[in-house]
Amino acid sequence: LHLLRVRSRDGLPFGYYDSWTAGLEKPVSKRDFLKSPRLEIFRKQGLKITHVTQTISAVAATEELATQLQTELGAPLLSLVRHSFETRRTGEQLVDHLQVYYHPDRFQYQMDLQLDKT
């Protein structure tokens, strides 16, 4: 499944999402993604993501990204690449590749980690 989305808040686009997902057994409609997050849809489809890697960096807006995110050509954007894996008998299998570009004035990345207390 190849999915392109622009997400907005208060009428302003903050993220351009480009994802490729393998292993979905049933058709998924555009309407499904309007009602549910991608990970919830994946779970319902039977994908069991067990490992995720993420890389965050900065990039310059291309013409397409500048148009989609309503910014200037070459403006700085946050770039996030996420690889999601499913563990199988033969090892880990990449099941989802997500590339997101965020408008830095309209998006903040926050992480909350809880460590094992033992």
Side-chain angles (χ1 to χ4, degrees), residues 31-42:
R31 187 173 179 204
D32 293 331
F33 287 101
L34 294 174
K35 296 186 307 181
S36 303
R38 285 176 357 109
L39 289 178
E40 182 180 318
I41 291 169
F42 296 167

Side-chain angles (χ1 to χ4, degrees), residues 101-115:
Y101 300 96
Y102 292 111
H103 191 299
D105 294 340
R106 301 178 194 142
F107 178 81
Q108 181 180 24
Y109 188 84
Q110 180 178 349
M111 185 182 304
D112 180 5
L113 298 174
Q114 293 191 10
L115 303 176

Side-chain angles (χ1 to χ4, degrees), residues 4-96:
L4 293 172
R5 298 183 301 159
V6 176
R7 296 194 54 206
S8 298
R9 183 178 302 116
D10 300 325
L12 295 172
F14 69 86
Y16 180 86
Y17 292 67
D18 184 356
S19 64
W20 290 89
T21 307
L24 301 180
E25 298 175 0
K26 303 174 209 159
V28 183
S29 72
K30 183 177 180 178
R31 187 173 179 204
D32 293 331
F33 287 101
L34 294 174
K35 296 186 307 181
S36 303
R38 285 176 357 109
L39 289 178
E40 182 180 318
I41 291 169
F42 296 167
R43 277 188 223 106
K44 288 180 180 177
Q45 289 269 346
L47 283 181
K48 294 180 178 82
I49 294 173
T50 56
H51 178 208
V52 174
T53 64
Q54 282 191 163
T55 303
I56 298 173
S57 59
V59 297
T62 63
E63 190 172 324
E64 173 69 13
L65 292 172
T67 299
Q68 294 294 334
L69 295 173
Q70 297 177 5
T71 191
E72 300 294 321
L73 178 66
L77 302 175
L78 296 172
S79 169
L80 179 140
V81 175
R82 178 183 300 153
H83 290 135
S84 299
F85 300 86
E86 186 175 55
T87 301
R88 299 183 179 164
R89 283 183 288 147
T90 58
E92 286 189 333
Q93 178 71 39
L94 177 65
V95 293
D96 186 65

